[in-house]
Amino acid sequence: MILTTTNTIEGFKIADYLGIVTGVAINDETLSSGFSTSKYYKKIQSSVDAVKERAFKTLTENAKALGANAIVGIKIEIELTTTNYPMVSVTGTAVKILV
């Protein structure tokens, strides 16, 4: 599966646009805020990285379900909820490219 933020894939021709796909994931573990700000920021960073990977996995699974072999125009949004849980939303267009 080819993933790109661009609307085209250099060297490939898009044969069919299959639809918009999304992947959303939110952290479900408590982020404790102790006295160390640097440790708290590192915890948020590692949490965002893990949540982003889960969101991309869901995005890819949703595209495969449509018969896609690539996703173009990917946009990533990262937010902290009011309770400081990282949430990642990934959206793109599932396409079939000629290989």
Side-chain angles (χ1 to χ4, degrees), residues 24-28 45-57 85-90:
V24 178
I26 189 166
N27 181 14
D28 52 3
Q45 180 181 357
S46 67
S47 176
V48 167
D49 290 343
V51 172
K52 182 181 65 150
E53 290 305 314
R54 287 199 337 250
F56 267 100
K57 182 178 180 199
Y85 289 109
M87 181 176 80
V88 177
S89 173
V90 186

Side-chain angles (χ1 to χ4, degrees), residues 47-96:
S47 176
V48 167
D49 290 343
V51 172
K52 182 181 65 150
E53 290 305 314
R54 287 199 337 250
F56 267 100
K57 182 178 180 199
T58 303
L59 176 80
T60 304
E61 289 169 356
N62 291 339
K64 284 180 183 176
L66 294 176
N69 58 1
I71 305 170
V72 297
I74 294 175
K75 304 281 188 255
I76 304 165
E77 293 183 31
I78 300 171
E79 298 178 34
L80 282 179
T81 65
T82 55
T83 53
N84 286 339
Y85 289 109
M87 181 176 80
V88 177
S89 173
V90 186
T91 305
T93 302
V95 298
K96 183 70 120 176

Side-chain angles (χ1 to χ4, degrees), residues 8-51:
T8 60
I9 303 170
E10 190 173 335
F12 292 93
K13 179 174 174 37
I14 295 175
D16 197 11
Y17 291 85
L18 304 172
I20 296 172
V21 287
T22 60
V24 178
I26 189 166
N27 181 14
D28 52 3
E29 68 179 52
T30 305
L31 294 175
S32 59
S33 57
F35 293 107
S36 173
T37 332
S38 64
K39 285 182 184 178
Y40 178 67
Y41 289 145
K42 285 179 185 176
K43 182 80 169 167
I44 287 179
Q45 180 181 357
S46 67
S47 176
V48 167
D49 290 343
V51 172

